Amino acid sequence: MSESEKLKLLEEAMEMDEGSLKPELVLDEIEEYDSLTKLAIIVLIEDEFGKKLSASDFKGFTTVADILSVMEA
Amino acid sequence: MALFRTSGVEIKGILCAVPEHREDRTDHEKRFDKEAVDRVLASTEINAIHLGQYAGQTAGDLGFTAADTLLNKLDIDRSKIGILVFVSYATDYRKPGTSSVLQKRLGLSVDCMVTDVGQACAGFVYGQQIVESLMMTSDSKYGLLIVADTGNRMVSRTDHTSLMLGDAGAAILFGRNEMAEHETVLQADGFRFKTIIVPGGGFRDLLPDEESVECSDGVMRTKYELFMDGLGVLSFSTNDVVDSIRAYMTHTHTDIEDYDVFAFHQANMFIIKRMMKKLKLPAEKVPISLHEYGNTSCASIPMALCAGIDNYRNKSEIKVLASGFGIGLAWGVTSFSLNTANIYPIIETGDCYPEGVLNLHEM
């Protein structure tokens, strides 16, 4: 899956406009990044990539790129 | 697998009571931005909750009203109730147990054992096993299980969780039926005890100060207020609990077609939809009470059964699989047959027990 396809999936999960996410963005600075969004991201990654993320995984995420890096099967 | 088999005991009636006082988005928007309320309600689909605190109603009050109404409807000889188990953490007093107060209020005899059991969302599945086990080792004609909670009372007013928890009490009467038998699986994981917790006010930390501190989820709360690890709860519900349901069906050689109803703890619709998707459950088999009543803790499963009853009245008997999960962490799965005539509509009540607030001068 290409980076732009992954970004698009993430934008949908986070209910953000297409093209608004960039890998270098800091997660805590994204207004939409809250507890509800994290739930949506967990569901996305489990459904698309078969991975189960935990709370400690999220603690390790600083940028959008960190999430993109786990979006692999 | 912690497997329990019971026989000769069945549910004779289920009735739930909620407080009359209702809150919805109009009330929520007084405390939170409209946008935040929209997001939480869209995700949880909890459109309203009923709260007892404004009428001085405790979990014991809701449980009393449910039980008293049920016992009257079934015209039960109360002297034949030999077992009363009250499941809640929201007890009337530190001691004695609320089951003692309910024994007095319900007019039960002294030949009735009464006890409280500390459980929340797993409380119906745990509680029904406890009562049935006691019934099987006694010759009591009836056993009464009362599950109730007022979870919202200990949640920070700035926590979105305060939009989700609703108060309710449910009474479930158990009686004898030679032909009845079923199995229950009960599980627990105390390694994750901090996942849903009220850290202060217990004997570990009895009187912590009331300072509000920003927690890892960005919410300001005191030690007296509920902390819930949302991601941990999601993972638990959609993995451990779903696995337990699958394992239960494998063990009992049953599948989805064998059940008419899947009664789940009413955590929120995000979790329930995820569970339904993983288990491939059709919506018509999953009754929902959370839209109008929210997450009602241990009363959730009875609330879902009572809320959904109009969908099942065409059958005289339904086969139910129930799954409760939450604080502890604790979870359990059970299945049972239920006569649909014995499931009553949810009632709203303003009843309380002001004489329960004691005046030391009079003691």
Side-chain angles (χ1 to χ4, degrees):
Chain A
M1 189 180 285
S2 72
E3 186 180 271
S4 61
E5 281 167 332
K6 290 182 191 178
L7 282 169
K8 189 154 178 252
L9 281 176
L10 212 46
E11 280 156 359
E12 272 170 24
M14 294 174 70
E15 292 176 10
M16 293 175 72
D17 295 332
E18 200 174 324
S20 55
L21 282 180
K22 306 272 183 287
E24 60 273 14
L25 289 182
V26 173
L27 291 167
D28 285 341
E29 289 168 14
I30 301 175
E31 206 186 315
E32 289 88 342
Y33 187 68
D34 65 10
S35 53
L36 285 176
T37 329
K38 287 177 195 171
L39 300 185
I41 294 172
I42 285 185
V43 165
L44 164 68
I45 291 179
E46 190 173 340
D47 286 352
E48 291 289 332
F49 305 99
K51 283 187 183 158
K52 295 183 183 185
L53 290 185
S54 68
S56 52
D57 290 324
F58 272 93
K59 285 197 178 108
F61 295 156
T62 317
T63 62
V64 170
D66 293 332
I67 301 182
L68 294 177
S69 68
V70 301
M71 291 170 79
E72 313 269 343
Chain B
M1 192 180 275
L3 182 72
F4 300 82
R5 290 188 191 88
T6 55
S7 58
V9 185
E10 69 174 5
I11 294 175
K12 299 295 191 189
I14 302 183
L15 194 147
C16 303
V18 298
E20 284 170 344
H21 179 92
R22 177 183 188 275
E23 293 196 355
D24 59 22
R25 62 163 59 242
T26 316
D27 304 280
H28 304 334
E29 283 171 17
K30 292 175 187 159
R31 286 188 288 127
F32 298 95
D33 294 337
K34 181 178 183 310
E35 209 180 69
V37 172
D38 287 344
R39 288 201 53 178
V40 172
L41 266 55
S43 171
T44 62
E45 298 187 33
I46 293 171
N47 303 319
I49 50 178
H50 291 240
L51 301 176
Q53 62 209 78
Y54 303 102
Q57 293 168 305
T58 64
D61 292 331
L62 301 173
F64 166 74
T65 300
D68 193 49
T69 309
L70 179 65
L71 295 177
N72 287 341
K73 278 193 192 292
L74 297 175
D75 196 24
I76 298 296
D77 177 355
R78 298 187 187 201
S79 69
K80 300 280 190 284
I81 300 174
I83 297 157
L84 168 61
V85 173
F86 176 74
V87 180
S88 188
Y89 287 115
T91 52
D92 283 4
Y93 308 106
R94 288 300 191 127
K95 45 186 105 172
T98 306
S99 49
S100 298
V101 184
L102 291 171
Q103 178 175 33
K104 169 191 154 79
R105 292 175 69 186
L106 290 169
L108 305 183
S109 87
V110 298
D111 293 318
C112 178
M113 67 140 285
V114 307
T115 191
D116 287 10
V117 164
Q119 281 289 341
C121 311
F124 171 79
V125 183
Y126 266 67
Q128 60 89 41
Q129 187 52 53
I130 292 169
V131 171
E132 291 196 347
S133 297
L134 290 167
M135 292 278 291
M136 282 185 71
T137 49
S138 78
D139 55 17
S140 175
K141 186 167 184 194
Y142 298 114
L144 182 57
L145 172 67
I146 299 177
V147 293
D149 204 350
T150 52
N152 211 311
R153 200 77 196 264
M154 304 200 77
V155 180
S156 162
R157 296 286 90 199
T158 62
D159 188 345
H160 291 156
T161 305
S162 66
L163 307 181
M164 295 161 54
L165 303 184
D167 298 347
I172 303 98
L173 185 73
F174 289 84
R176 304 274 172 195
N177 176 350
E178 273 178 14
M179 304 306 298
E181 61 177 17
H182 74 120
E183 292 181 313
T184 297
V185 169
L186 299 176
Q187 291 176 280
D189 182 4
F191 288 87
R192 288 183 274 178
F193 80 89
K194 294 183 210 172
T195 307
I196 311 170
I197 187 166
V198 175
F203 289 90
R204 179 64 72 196
D205 192 356
L206 193 59
L207 293 168
D209 64 57
E210 299 192 33
E211 186 199 352
S212 256
V213 169
E214 184 173 342
C215 303
S216 59
D217 57 357
V219 175
M220 299 290 291
R221 52 172 77 80
T222 73
K223 280 190 174 184
Y224 298 97
E225 291 167 332
L226 185 76
F227 172 81
M228 194 172 341
D229 167 12
L231 303 187
V233 170
L234 177 72
S235 169
F236 161 61
S237 313
T238 59
N239 295 312
D240 304 78
V241 174
V242 166
D243 288 346
S244 75
I245 296 170
R246 287 197 185 116
Y248 182 87
M249 289 200 281
T250 302
H251 168 78
T252 52
H253 307 291
T254 55
D255 55 33
I256 295 168
E257 283 74 56
D258 294 308
Y259 300 99
D260 300 295
V261 172
F262 287 79
F264 291 158
H265 164 57
Q266 301 286 290
N268 61 62
M269 214 56 208
F270 188 93
I271 283 177
I272 292 183
K273 278 183 175 168
R274 192 88 186 122
M275 291 173 68
M276 287 168 65
K277 183 175 178 180
K278 288 193 167 189
L279 293 164
K280 301 188 178 41
L281 297 179
E284 56 271 17
K285 289 197 176 190
V286 185
I288 301 293
S289 60
L290 61 83
H291 297 312
E292 172 61 26
Y293 303 106
N295 174 344
T296 45
S297 181
C298 43
S300 269
I301 288 168
M303 286 284 286
L305 286 169
C306 293
I309 188 52
D310 289 341
N311 300 327
Y312 314 112
R313 286 236 189 270
N314 56 331
K315 295 188 94 162
S316 61
E317 196 175 80
I318 51 174
K319 189 80 192 290
V320 178
L321 182 145
S323 160
F325 47 94
I327 290 177
L329 297 173
W331 63 106
V333 192
T334 188
S335 65
F336 47 87
S337 294
L338 201 48
N339 191 322
T340 53
N342 297 336
I343 308 172
Y344 290 92
I346 297 166
I347 61 175
E348 292 188 8
T349 177
D351 289 348
C352 59
Y353 190 61
E355 55 264 58
V357 179
L358 303 179
N359 185 337
L360 283 180
H361 295 295
E362 291 164 13
M363 295 181 69

